[in-house]
Amino acid sequence: MLYKKREKSYKLQVMELLQYRIELSSEGRRELSSQESGYTGECGLDTFTGELTCECLVLNDLPLVISGTDFQIDALIITLHEIGLYEVKNYAGEYLHNDGFFEGVHSDFSFHSPIERVNRHTSLLRSLLKKHHFTMPIKQYVVFIHPEFMLYDASLYKKVLLRATLPGHFRKLNKCSGELSNMHIQLTKKLCDISEQTDPYTKGIPQYTFEGCKKGVVCEKCGCFVREIQFKSKVCRCLECGYQELVTKALSRHIREYHLLFPLRRMNISGIYEWCGGVFSERKIRAALQKEYQAVSAGKYRHYE
């Protein structure tokens, strides 16, 4: 059973928005591409875990912390007798394992072995469970979800799952029988509680300011800026790709964007008006804020939370 659904990480959400608002460096563009590829790979694993029929609890995208050390788990599957910890990678190509690196057979591309990373996460998770008085065996796996990934090192296959081996792996998991106990439920709730209280991972997000961001309304489909909206029109239309979006939906999207990028900045009518480049009237902004948020204070100091 899916207990915690997957959502885009805070880092990915922020970088997807910033790509239209600031000039990303080449390193920033690579980081964004890596984040998008990783999320696509994780969603690929979800197509398998979503079809599990055995008694289990699936937790996706868990940021956790113990003794000041943060770590991120792509997926956990809690069954009757053990916990499965899954680290997902979305690389393509043929690789050999050599001294802590995966090296391309037909290219110069190489990357640090994710085996070390998943071992570290397993150790941290085990310590976290012990701290909260839970004891369960943990099995760790690195999932190479891309169908064109190949690893030539049989010694790692107990910890590595390739795309072609996933159906068999989850068929075997489906054979697990027995009902989960209250302990399993309490463990799951505790992990989710810790996850909610853990600060999001922000390393690699470029520095940005409100003043330094380009203002305006961004087309949801192509990312171009919408120059204007006709008076009394209920839709905003992108002149570049022709995509049309309800004004109420587009405005709500940009308010959420403002709040995500600038959580410490007061959310008020003038701030949203400036962020949207004056495309939406103050009357529309006021109506949207009153509908979705709670007004704080009054007069010129009024803002929304």
Side-chain angles (χ1 to χ4, degrees):
M1 180 184 85
L2 177 62
Y3 191 92
K4 183 180 184 295
K5 68 179 182 178
R6 188 176 308 286
E7 298 177 344
K8 288 184 178 181
S9 69
Y10 171 80
K11 179 178 178 178
L12 176 55
Q13 291 182 64
V14 168
M15 293 197 70
E16 283 185 331
L17 296 175
L18 287 180
Q19 66 178 318
Y20 306 117
R21 302 287 185 175
I22 66 173
E23 184 68 33
L24 289 179
S25 65
S26 57
E27 182 180 348
R29 291 193 295 273
R30 285 194 300 270
E31 184 65 27
L32 173 58
S33 177
S34 175
Q35 290 289 308
E36 290 174 331
S37 176
Y39 179 71
T40 299
E42 291 163 9
C43 291
L45 178 65
D46 296 345
T47 62
F48 290 93
T49 60
E51 294 178 354
L52 286 170
T53 56
C54 63
E55 278 281 319
C56 67
L57 294 165
V58 180
L59 291 79
N60 291 317
D61 190 25
L62 278 176
L64 298 169
V65 62
I66 179 169
S67 302
T69 301
D70 298 336
F71 62 108
Q72 174 92 19
I73 294 176
D74 293 337
L76 276 186
I77 301 178
I78 299 175
T79 60
L80 182 63
H81 299 297
E82 64 186 27
I83 298 173
L85 187 157
Y86 297 81
E87 173 86 9
V88 185
K89 296 300 178 186
N90 198 17
Y91 297 115
E94 300 174 56
Y95 295 87
L96 289 169
H97 182 249
N98 182 26
D99 194 26
F101 284 85
F102 281 25
E103 298 179 346
V105 175
H106 303 296
S107 72
D108 294 330
F109 180 69
S110 66
F111 55 92
H112 281 284
S113 169
I115 303 294
E116 297 175 10
R117 177 182 172 90
V118 79
N119 286 342
R120 175 177 174 271
H121 288 179
T122 301
S123 177
L124 290 169
L125 178 61
R126 189 173 287 114
S127 298
L128 186 62
L129 297 185
K130 183 178 180 180
K131 177 181 178 181
H132 295 283
H133 312 293
F134 293 101
T135 303
M136 283 191 74
I138 302 171
K139 281 191 176 180
Q140 68 264 41
Y141 305 96
V142 177
V143 179
F144 288 99
I145 196 71
H146 199 289
E148 295 182 12
F149 179 90
M150 177 58 67
L151 175 64
Y152 299 112
D153 192 336
S155 66
L156 298 177
Y157 281 1
K158 286 187 177 181
K159 291 185 177 181
V160 167
L161 294 172
L162 305 183
R163 173 63 178 78
T165 66
L166 288 177
H169 172 79
F170 287 109
R171 278 197 300 269
K172 182 178 179 181
L173 197 60
N174 266 333
K175 293 179 181 179
C176 296
S177 59
E179 294 186 4
L180 300 181
S181 67
N182 185 58
M183 181 276 290
H184 297 92
I185 303 298
Q186 293 303 314
L187 168 60
T188 301
K189 289 181 177 178
K190 174 56 69 175
L191 290 173
C192 288
D193 287 344
I194 296 171
S195 178
E196 289 177 1
Q197 296 167 19
T198 302
D199 292 333
Y201 185 73
T202 59
K203 184 179 179 180
I205 297 178
Q207 292 186 344
Y208 64 94
T209 63
F210 181 82
E211 292 74 20
C213 285
K214 185 176 180 179
K215 312 301 190 295
V217 172
V218 178
C219 172
E220 187 178 33
K221 185 176 181 180
C222 73
C224 292
F225 282 82
V226 178
R227 300 188 186 95
E228 62 179 355
I229 300 173
Q230 292 184 354
F231 183 64
K232 291 188 177 182
S233 175
K234 293 184 178 181
V235 298
C236 53
R237 181 175 181 273
C238 176
L239 297 180
E240 300 297 327
C241 70
Y243 179 73
Q244 294 188 129
E245 183 179 19
L246 288 174
V247 166
T248 52
K249 183 172 178 289
L251 178 50
S252 179
R253 178 166 58 85
H254 281 76
I255 292 174
R256 292 194 302 272
E257 173 183 308
Y258 176 94
H259 188 49
L260 177 69
L261 292 176
F262 309 102
L264 300 180
R265 189 181 177 90
R266 283 191 171 184
M267 190 159 58
N268 53 28
I269 295 172
S270 61
I272 301 299
Y273 181 84
E274 183 179 356
W275 181 248
C276 296
V279 171
F280 299 119
S281 69
E282 292 188 351
R283 179 180 60 83
K284 282 188 171 68
I285 294 171
R286 181 182 295 106
L289 289 171
Q290 290 175 343
K291 181 179 179 181
E292 299 185 37
Y293 302 90
Q294 183 69 41
V296 179
S297 191
K300 65 178 183 178
Y301 298 107
R302 174 173 292 179
H303 60 282
Y304 297 81
E305 294 180 349

